[in-house]
Amino acid sequence: MLYIYLAITILMSIVAFSAFGIDKQKAKKDAWRIPEATLLCLSLCGGSVGAMLGMAVFHHKTKKLKFKIFVPITFLLWLIIGILIMRGT
């Protein structure tokens, strides 16, 4: 179970990080954007580490309150899930 958890969080974090980077580039070019709901969903689905890194590295969505609150909450949620898995609960 731990390997599945790690695979999900690593894969989704890579996807989320990439999505934040792509969206930032599209924002600079005034092109079609990735919906905010999609970025938040990637965080909720296990990509919270990648989302936080993407926000920091690309300086993207850092002023939006819903991102400043929701992404860390999803990180804590996935951290708790990981701890429970490691404890065998």
Side-chain angles (χ1 to χ4, degrees):
M1 187 68 165
L2 180 60
Y3 294 115
I4 294 170
Y5 168 81
L6 290 173
I8 290 170
T9 56
I10 291 169
L11 178 64
M12 292 306 295
S13 288
I14 291 169
V15 172
F17 181 81
S18 300
F20 273 81
I22 291 167
D23 193 54
K24 178 65 173 192
Q25 290 303 313
K26 289 182 178 269
K28 288 181 179 179
K29 296 178 182 177
D30 200 28
W32 176 87
R33 306 277 303 278
I34 297 172
E36 288 185 350
T38 301
L39 297 174
L40 292 170
C41 186
L42 289 171
S43 179
L44 181 63
C45 292
S48 57
V49 172
M52 287 192 297
L53 286 173
M55 289 173 69
V57 169
F58 302 116
H59 305 285
H60 192 48
K61 303 291 185 187
T62 55
K63 294 181 181 176
K64 297 249 180 182
L65 185 60
K66 62 182 156 186
F67 282 86
K68 287 168 48 172
I69 293 172
F70 187 79
V71 173
I73 288 173
T74 59
F75 171 76
L76 291 175
L77 174 70
W78 278 89
L79 180 64
I80 291 167
I81 291 169
I83 290 169
L84 291 174
I85 289 171
M86 287 176 41
R87 292 179 70 196
T89 320

